Amino acid sequence: MSITPQPGIYTPATEITVLGEGIADPVKAAAFPQTILRFRNDRWAPTVGLGGLNDEQWIDHFGRFAPLEGSLPQPLALRYHGHQFRNYNPDIGDGRGFLFAQLRDGEGRLLDLGTKGSGQTPYSRFGDGRLTLKGGVREILATEMLEALGVNTSKTFSIIETGEALERNDEPSPTRGAAMVRLSHSHIRIGTFQRAAYENNVPLLERLVDYALTRLYGETPGEQPAAQLLGRVVERTADLAASYMVAGFVHGVLNSDNINVTGESFDYGPWRFTPFWEQGFTAAYFDQTGLYAFGRQAEAIHWDVAQLAVSLRPLIEAQPLIEQLERFPALYAEALGHRFLWRLGVTTGEDAPALVEAAVRAMVASRTPIDRFFLDWRGGKPRDPAVYDDPAWDSFRMQIATLLPAGIMDHPYWSDPDPCSMHIEEVEAIWSAIDTNDDWQPLHAKVAAIRRMGEAHGGSPALP
């Protein structure tokens, strides 16, 4: 959903029901001791016709989960499997969330409102089905920052504090609880197809392919619908991987159940932004082998998409699927150059990969922070040439001199002394203010600063 928000009329939908009973289980939301509104996304609520809700109505729908009129009458915990750190797990599904509603935006696109921390489901296993308030705050920061940097991401729609004290092993406990709602272009994951294939449910696989093509991509299925869908997923996920790199973002848990078939990034747990271009930088303390490190994200996503191809084999021979998978590396390289030049605000060059390579080499050699580099070189010329007189920059300086400005340059942000960044120290400081003093001002100020940066970029890049 890397688009500019456009107002829409409330248009409920129930499209997910065409997939039949095998896709989800009806569930009930937890009853919380309190429902305190902490965040409502008034930038995106109008796009789905919900901007006019008052706070009490908002809490009723997104804290108590009263159904939205005309949409799903009951929440649905979606069924899926997935590879988690390359190990197949058939015992997962929506364990602390559900699909709450479907509706359409101002451009007619089908969107989901899904939850996190809304209570236990048949797939909770030993979990409590809850989300910490800190996790909700981190989700706001991740989605806002990624949106501003042009990444196709879900949007944090609502955060309600629940009044519960949660016990966690990886943060000081007891800690405050929250229920989150995200706005997303589908929650159909690679793992959704994996479950159908694992159960040899060919009719469901066929329905999933048709649903994804017709309702999510707006396409008419051709002679080979499975290969057609895989091709779209390859294109979108190659661009997603490139967008992570240009943003300096590390998702942390790129399991196949965390990759949806629209190529939209979602579900943020141990994420981090790397200050420097460090290939081995990891976000999750439990990623001890660096499987999902900064520089391995394209490999990880490509591997996940290959699992989608395997799941589609009951519907089609292997060769058309292999041909689509083999497009990924070239598409990734093209998207990386395209997005890199977009963030620099210069015209697309014929040899964008060489420019990217020269920039990365110089950033690494000079230990220049990623966000600083993009702010200083916006428009193709350094704001202070003396800072970049190191010979490490010679190749990049020569190549970018041949390009012309193409991005928005008159926004005041480009004159700021420092870039808007989102590194772990600031994340922790924002949470500490909330946790210690119930001070939400640093969070609100940061969201405003991030959105200002997004305005300066002038909208997200289209697929190359």
Side-chain angles (χ1 to χ4, degrees), residues 300-336:
I301 292 172
H302 191 192
W303 191 93
D304 287 332
V305 177
Q307 308 318 303
L308 174 61
V310 171
S311 299
L312 293 171
R313 277 289 287 114
L315 305 181
I316 190 174
E317 295 179 355
Q319 190 56 36
L321 300 174
I322 292 171
E323 290 172 359
Q324 293 297 338
L325 280 175
E326 289 177 340
R327 299 170 60 214
F328 188 99
L331 287 169
Y332 168 71
E334 181 182 7
L336 186 64

Side-chain angles (χ1 to χ4, degrees), residues 148-213:
L149 292 174
V151 176
N152 182 17
T153 178
S154 64
K155 311 299 185 285
T156 305
F157 197 72
S158 173
I159 298 290
I160 303 286
E161 187 170 358
T162 62
E164 294 181 316
L166 306 179
E167 294 291 336
R168 290 294 184 268
N169 295 324
D170 55 355
E171 61 179 285
S173 294
T175 188
R176 295 151 75 174
M180 185 195 84
V181 176
R182 74 165 69 94
L183 181 67
S184 182
H185 187 32
S186 168
H187 285 79
I188 301 297
R189 313 150 190 259
I190 289 175
T192 310
F193 287 78
Q194 288 182 284
R195 176 169 183 145
Y198 180 91
E199 296 177 344
N200 197 29
N201 192 339
V202 175
L204 178 56
L205 273 176
E206 292 173 334
R207 292 196 299 271
L208 282 167
V209 169
D210 184 79
Y211 180 90
L213 284 174

Side-chain angles (χ1 to χ4, degrees), residues 9 11 20 24 34 44 60 137 173-174 186 241 262 305 366 394 420 438:
I9 299 171
T11 309
Q34 294 179 294
W44 279 93
D60 193 40
V137 168
S173 294
S186 168
T262 62
V305 177
S366 63
D394 288 350
C420 178
D438 211 32

